[in-house]
Amino acid sequence: MADLRVNFAGIKAPNPFWLASAPPTNSGYQVQRAFEAGWGGAVWKTLGDPILNVSSRFAGTSYNGQRVAGFNNIELITDRPLEVNLKEIYETKKRFPNHAVIASLMVEPNQKAWHEIVKRVQDVGVDGFELNFGCPHGMAERGMGAASGQVPELVEKQTYWAKEVAEVPVIVKLTPNITDITATAYAAVQGGADAISMINTINSLAGVDLDSWNTIPNVAGKGAHGGYCGPAVKPIALNMVAECARHPEINLPISGMGGVSDWKDAVEFMLMGAGSIQVCTAAMHHGFSIVEDMIDGLNNYLDDKGIVDLDGIIGKSVEKYSDWGNLDLNYKVVARINNDTCINCNKCHIACEDTSHQCIDMLTDDSGEAILRVREEDCVGCNLCSIVCPVDGAIDMIEIPNGEPMTWNERQAAIKLTV
Amino acid sequence: MHLNRVKNKKISLDDLRVNFSEIEPALTQKEAMDEANRCLYCYDAPCIKACPTDINIPSFIKKIASGNLKGSAKVIMEANPVGASCARVCPTEELCEGACVLNDASLPIMIGNLQRHATNWAIQNNQQLFKAGDAKGKSVAIIGGGPAGLSAARELARIGYEVTIYEAKEKAGGLDTYGIVSFRLPQEVSLWEVEQVENLGVTIHTNTMVGRDVKVEEILTNYDAVILAIGMSKVPMLGIEGEEAEGVYDAIDFVENTKTPPLDHQFIGKKIVIIGAGNTAIDAATCSVRLGAGDVKMVYRRTEAEMTAYEFEYEFAKQDGVEFRWLTQPTKIVTDEHGKVKALECVRMELGEPDESGRRRPVEVPDSEFTMEVDAVIKAIGQSRYVSLIEELGLDHNRGIVKINQETHETSNPKVYAAGDVIFGDGQGDAMVVTAAQQGKLTAHAIHQKFISADHMAVENA
């Protein structure tokens, strides 16, 4: 049994699986149910001046029948009075003293407002703060959330104001709706943040109804952009976590989130530098009980690898993530089709023939059976065939010895020398 | 048919109609979407090659998944004018589903059920899927409005030929309308396919038997081409005593009687024996069960291994509680004083040396005679041919199997073509609805090709 406890920037929790600030953490009732189910922590739905919400708030995207491949929402921060939330936070923390209760905060960008809310909330005994600089819809139109999170100076300044009065760790939650997330991450560093978290949701329009031509979702026939999350955004989130993790001047713990659906996603985020994991869509899709397999799967994975705690994986793949110019131009892989496993759907052939490098032949073997074969000399090792192949183990990408390593950067440097 | 999806397995003796309602439920919308999304959309897909009518199966399934049901139904019906019937009656395990690449990886796609889903949509939404072509000024007569005839008519009408079908029965559709058990294929499905063809301007003269109601010479002279698609005839004689008795039925007639209401109540609780072990024999047996018979047995002079019924049909009959008496040869039908069937005398057989068909010849076991008490005997030992009409048309044939040029479907009379069961046999084709449909289609195309070439010749000679 591996040790799954985390100490994230000083915030302790029995495991790294925290509910993200979102509808699942709207109330004490929900957060306490989550803790009973096994979640290690929760970031309370963003506190601030209570807002008014609209009716019809969420939309899911389906892909080939798979529901909630992505998820879109136009819900704002908490719509409940601050006192009510604070009372429930107090009760929750009292009942679950060893679980992490983190308060997400959002106020207008001025020092007084930040001081006021930080003080009031920390009085009820939260384990940390998460500054919501990421919510992309609604609040951003009022100069908060992503609107302030897209301006590095505002990120730095507001972080600084929060830190001026905070007695518990301050996490800065970043918006992905920005060209280079490391710029705002660095601003958080400059502002004195104890940690950063990412990603908040991505600007999105989930769909348009083909009959009414209304947006999805629509509010009385009108729509506005929402925030996108769920499995579809995982690669975007993972890259942003990794970019921050490998940035030499951003040496802060990272709480990773964005499409984490199971323990495997969580391990990937951790390998890329996340010290804790936040989840929302998966819980909204399936309920709090999904954390059981997240914990169990992570534990079994660590045990199988002989790893005793999370330090054994956190950040271990970061050094493998680099710039394109550092990739070895001479490294070569080719596709090899295992005809014993192949079911002859020919998807690899047509994918290669129509859209890649025309190197998979449909042939007949000596016994008259249809087989597929890669002309390795023409294969560029793009992986497309193995991606579209529906059967595990039917196509392997095999490394071919191909001379001394040489990166683009090395090549350019060598050319310069010879000129 | 997927036996695990079969519903209403219980036989009602109060309301026999219930027993004849379609046994396999249609896919629900969700089942259809889940299944359609499971299709891999193979390139050069083996299911297409395994379909006698070359339906582009991945294409119609993708269209179900994308919500384009009209497009899906068109893909199916374009390749197979009786595609709604075939969705239900094709032995898919032997054809498309048997070829599905997922057989090797998980479970094959339920292609037949998806085909049914898409064509059901077209039926329920009153879609006319195709239009008649611009008139070509040539006419074609089709003798027989079954799958082959309808298929040929549909194709010819789409190209622009004036098509007239002569159908002996009250309704067109042939086997699909009258010969396939209702609980597999409701008659309205077949009639929808007939209507699709009629809506292209095809004239169908029903209750019109060529040679009886219309002269053969009339047909041969009044049309530019003739397609013979008359299928097969009644079950032949067994050649045993008592065959003419009351209570002896032809399996084809027996099944046909269950297709049109009212259902016959006289078999409730009765003992019925079916002679034969092919697909029609199974149909007769399962219909007997559904008519409320108390005891249904099939007798066959060979063994389970030699029976010609499809595996799934055999399974289905077993699930229906049909008993099988292998290596049993009927020798005499015993009647009571009113001339009604009372018993069936049989003799036990054993398998000897292989015969000309390669199957081991059954030979009598000496002194093994025994008698079975029965109330009805149904003969299902194959079908005879409409030899007299074939001869009246003057066509070369072999025991009623019309000889054709495999390329052009032309008979010995270059103006007369043949398709469907009338050419089945002697190693020519399969007796499946789907094969007949394809032959009808190909015959139509062959006729068109011939007329085109003739036109070209005429132009060149002018």
Side-chain angles (χ1 to χ4, degrees):
Chain A
M1 180 83 196
D3 183 356
L4 299 189
R5 288 176 302 170
V6 289
N7 182 345
F8 178 82
I11 301 170
K12 292 183 179 130
N15 66 56
F17 299 107
W18 301 353
L19 284 174
S21 172
T25 59
N26 190 47
S27 67
Y29 173 77
Q30 290 167 284
V31 172
Q32 290 174 35
R33 274 178 68 82
F35 288 166
E36 282 166 6
W39 294 88
V43 185
W44 211 273
K45 186 164 169 78
T46 305
L47 308 175
D49 282 337
I51 51 73
L52 295 172
N53 265 314
V54 291
S55 173
S56 190
R57 303 179 189 178
F58 305 147
T61 51
S62 297
Y63 180 72
N64 284 356
Q66 176 56 59
R67 297 272 167 160
V68 199
F71 192 83
N72 170 89
N73 88 87
I74 54 169
E75 190 175 281
L76 303 183
I77 65 171
T78 186
D79 54 10
R80 307 188 320 147
L82 184 59
E83 313 78 66
V84 174
N85 277 310
L86 292 179
K87 181 169 165 281
E88 293 178 9
I89 289 172
Y90 173 78
E91 287 163 356
T92 303
K93 190 64 206 170
K94 201 168 160 193
R95 214 183 130 203
F96 293 94
N98 299 321
H99 286 64
V101 176
I102 294 148
S104 171
L105 304 178
M106 183 196 292
V107 289
E108 61 209 71
N110 85 52
Q111 187 180 27
K112 188 161 162 273
W114 280 106
H115 281 185
E116 205 171 292
I117 196 153
V118 166
K119 284 182 193 160
R120 280 194 71 182
V121 176
Q122 78 187 357
D123 280 351
V124 297
V126 293
D127 298 297
F129 291 109
E130 185 180 78
L131 313 187
N132 182 344
F133 295 156
C135 188
H137 48 272
M139 304 310 287
E141 293 171 18
R142 304 171 203 174
M144 292 178 268
S148 61
Q150 285 161 342
V151 182
E153 294 76 27
L154 283 176
V155 171
E156 180 182 338
K157 209 172 264 179
Q158 294 181 99
T159 306
Y160 185 79
W161 291 331
K163 279 295 289 179
E164 280 179 328
V165 290
E167 290 159 10
V168 290
V170 171
I171 306 165
V172 172
K173 185 169 179 180
L174 301 173
T175 176
N177 298 308
I178 186 166
T179 313
D180 178 6
I181 200 165
T182 62
T184 45
Y186 183 67
V189 173
Q190 295 294 95
D194 298 291
I196 48 178
S197 59
M198 68 200 73
I199 60 172
N200 206 308
T201 56
I202 303 170
N203 288 347
S204 62
L205 169 57
V208 180
D209 185 277
L210 295 187
D211 295 317
S212 64
W213 300 358
N214 277 333
T215 60
I216 302 172
N218 84 84
V219 177
K222 273 219 162 76
H225 83 260
Y228 198 50
C229 53
V233 311
K234 185 199 113 179
I236 297 167
L238 190 58
N239 168 61
M240 289 186 170
V241 166
E243 289 294 353
C244 289
R246 78 184 182 94
H247 193 287
E249 288 171 293
I250 306 171
N251 294 305
L252 291 180
I254 301 170
S255 185
M257 80 196 91
V260 174
S261 303
D262 59 21
W263 64 270
K264 288 194 231 168
D265 292 334
V267 170
E268 292 179 33
F269 273 81
M270 291 183 150
L271 287 168
M272 275 302 167
S276 77
I277 299 299
Q278 295 187 36
V279 177
C280 171
T281 306
M284 291 183 75
H285 193 182
H286 304 295
F288 291 145
S289 67
I290 49 141
V291 75
E292 189 277 332
D293 184 61
M294 290 184 177
I295 294 168
D296 187 46
L298 174 61
N299 184 46
N300 288 338
Y301 171 79
L302 294 174
D303 284 355
D304 286 350
K305 297 266 177 208
I307 298 167
V308 294
D309 59 23
L310 297 176
D311 286 340
I313 56 170
I314 293 170
K316 297 300 182 198
S317 292
V318 173
E319 63 165 1
K320 295 171 183 279
Y321 205 49
S322 184
D323 294 333
W324 195 92
N326 294 329
L327 305 181
D328 179 6
L329 295 171
N330 287 337
Y331 177 73
K332 184 164 171 63
V333 290
V334 296
R336 206 165 279 170
I337 295 169
N338 177 358
N339 279 298
D340 294 334
T341 317
C342 171
I343 60 171
N344 291 89
C345 68
N346 302 323
K347 290 192 82 73
C348 58
H349 164 82
I350 200 61
C352 187
E353 195 69 15
D354 282 354
T355 67
S356 196
H357 290 78
Q358 300 79 45
C359 66
I360 301 181
D361 295 324
M362 292 171 66
L363 305 167
T364 306
D365 70 9
D366 298 338
S367 56
E369 295 289 313
I371 57 160
L372 291 148
R373 192 177 293 144
V374 178
R375 289 193 317 280
E376 292 185 5
E377 62 276 22
D378 295 327
C379 175
V380 301
C382 73
N383 294 343
L384 178 62
C385 55
S386 68
I387 291 166
V388 301
C389 178
V391 181
D392 287 340
I395 301 182
D396 293 320
M397 300 303 298
I398 307 285
E399 185 177 343
I400 302 288
N402 192 38
E404 290 299 304
M406 161 80 78
T407 69
W408 170 260
N409 290 343
E410 286 164 350
R411 180 178 177 274
Q412 295 312 100
I415 290 170
K416 254 186 202 156
L417 278 179
T418 58
V419 173
Chain B
M1 188 182 51
H2 299 262
L3 288 176
N4 57 345
R5 298 190 79 251
V6 166
K7 61 167 185 182
N8 59 358
K9 288 177 184 164
K10 285 207 182 110
I11 300 297
S12 166
L13 296 182
D14 302 324
D15 186 0
L16 296 182
R17 286 175 308 171
V18 174
N19 306 338
F20 286 87
S21 65
E22 213 167 358
I23 42 168
E24 190 175 351
L27 294 179
T28 64
Q29 172 66 14
K30 175 161 170 56
E31 281 177 309
M33 288 302 279
D34 287 354
E35 195 63 2
N37 278 310
R38 211 165 62 79
C39 171
L40 296 176
Y41 197 66
C42 295
Y43 174 72
D44 196 22
C47 54
I48 304 178
K49 292 182 217 161
C51 174
T53 58
D54 309 317
I55 295 176
N56 189 334
I57 293 162
S59 166
F60 93 68
I61 293 180
K62 195 75 175 168
K63 287 172 191 289
I64 292 174
S66 85
N68 178 9
L69 283 157
K70 182 172 187 172
S72 181
K74 277 187 91 162
V75 167
I76 295 161
M77 298 300 290
E78 165 120 48
N80 182 349
V82 291
S85 291
C86 284
R88 294 161 167 86
V89 305
C90 265
T92 51
E93 288 85 349
E94 319 262 333
L95 303 171
C96 52
E97 292 177 19
C100 177
V101 300
L102 287 177
N103 278 294
D104 299 331
S106 57
L107 287 170
I109 299 294
M110 290 193 273
I111 297 169
N113 278 327
L114 287 172
Q115 184 167 326
R116 182 173 153 191
H117 181 77
T119 49
N120 274 356
W121 181 90
I123 294 171
Q124 285 152 13
N125 290 278
N126 298 316
Q127 298 287 318
Q128 175 62 32
L129 298 174
F130 301 99
K131 286 188 187 134
D134 295 337
K136 289 248 174 304
K138 294 233 187 272
S139 63
V140 180
I142 299 176
I143 309 174
L150 283 177
S151 175
R154 209 282 308 265
E155 286 303 88
L156 288 167
R158 281 182 69 201
I159 302 170
Y161 290 90
E162 191 189 328
V163 184
T164 309
I165 295 178
Y166 292 91
E167 168 58 52
K169 290 205 181 288
E170 189 194 338
K171 293 169 185 163
L175 213 58
D176 290 348
T177 298
Y178 292 105
I180 292 166
V181 293
S182 296
F183 47 88
R184 191 77 39 84
L185 176 63
Q187 202 176 55
E188 59 264 25
V189 174
S190 171
L191 296 180
W192 174 77
E193 289 166 340
V194 173
E195 195 185 293
Q196 288 282 305
V197 175
E198 276 185 304
N199 289 344
L200 298 175
V202 171
T203 306
I204 306 181
H205 295 299
T206 52
N207 293 316
T208 308
M209 189 184 275
V210 173
R212 182 189 69 189
D213 305 310
V214 189
K215 288 202 176 78
V216 167
E217 307 84 74
E218 217 174 288
I219 303 280
L220 289 174
T221 42
N222 291 355
Y223 297 91
D224 296 304
V226 176
I227 300 174
L228 185 66
I230 52 176
M232 290 190 275
S233 182
K234 297 191 175 303
V235 176
M237 298 303 277
L238 294 164
I240 60 174
E241 196 185 326
E243 204 164 345
E244 309 290 346
E246 188 193 335
V248 179
Y249 300 89
D250 170 314
I252 308 281
D253 292 340
F254 187 82
V255 170
E256 187 176 322
N257 275 330
T258 66
K259 294 286 285 191
T260 26
L263 289 161
D264 202 334
H265 281 67
Q266 64 160 313
F267 298 103
I268 295 175
K270 296 291 168 61
K271 296 190 185 74
I272 301 183
V273 164
I274 294 94
I275 301 170
N279 293 310
T280 305
I282 301 259
D283 283 349
T286 52
C287 278
S288 299
V289 171
R290 281 169 173 67
L291 286 171
D295 181 339
V296 180
K297 289 190 181 71
M298 295 181 64
V299 301
Y300 182 44
R301 62 199 177 115
R302 303 177 197 250
T303 73
E304 200 174 349
E306 289 85 22
M307 76 186 290
T308 54
Y310 294 122
E311 183 66 29
F312 70 89
E313 290 280 20
Y314 177 37
E315 281 305 316
F316 180 65
K318 282 196 283 190
Q319 290 207 1
D320 254 10
V322 172
E323 291 177 44
F324 292 81
R325 293 283 179 274
W326 310 112
L327 294 167
T328 302
Q329 170 91 333
T331 51
K332 181 185 174 186
I333 294 168
V334 185
T335 53
D336 63 14
E337 62 275 24
H338 307 296
K340 199 175 173 324
V341 172
K342 183 170 86 171
L344 183 66
E345 284 185 11
C346 301
V347 60
R348 296 208 194 285
M349 309 293 278
E350 60 188 5
L351 292 181
E353 294 303 307
D355 62 13
E356 64 278 4
S357 74
R359 299 182 299 181
R360 291 172 67 191
R361 187 191 303 275
V363 288
E364 276 186 34
V365 177
D367 304 322
S368 66
E369 295 80 6
F370 67 101
T371 304
M372 295 161 79
E373 263 189 48
V374 296
D375 300 307
V377 172
I378 303 174
K379 303 184 293 178
I381 53 160
Q383 282 179 268
S384 61
R385 307 283 175 158
Y386 294 110
V387 179
S388 63
L389 177 59
I390 294 164
E391 295 196 329
E392 214 178 322
L393 283 160
L395 308 178
D396 286 357
H397 69 97
N398 181 16
R399 288 176 293 123
I401 300 164
V402 172
K403 291 183 181 169
I404 56 157
N405 174 329
Q406 294 293 336
E407 296 287 303
T408 63
H409 280 255
E410 257 177 31
T411 64
S412 54
N413 176 346
K415 195 176 178 178
V416 181
Y417 296 73
D421 276 354
V422 75
I423 61 167
F424 162 68
D426 294 342
Q428 217 170 232
D430 289 292
M432 292 187 290
V433 173
V434 66
T435 314
Q438 177 69 355
Q439 289 169 354
K441 207 170 89 185
L442 294 179
T443 304
H445 297 165
I447 289 173
H448 182 51
Q449 279 310 316
K450 188 155 90 176
F451 285 139
I452 290 177
S453 326
D455 282 351
H456 280 304
M457 300 259 283
V459 171
E460 279 166 23
N461 292 340

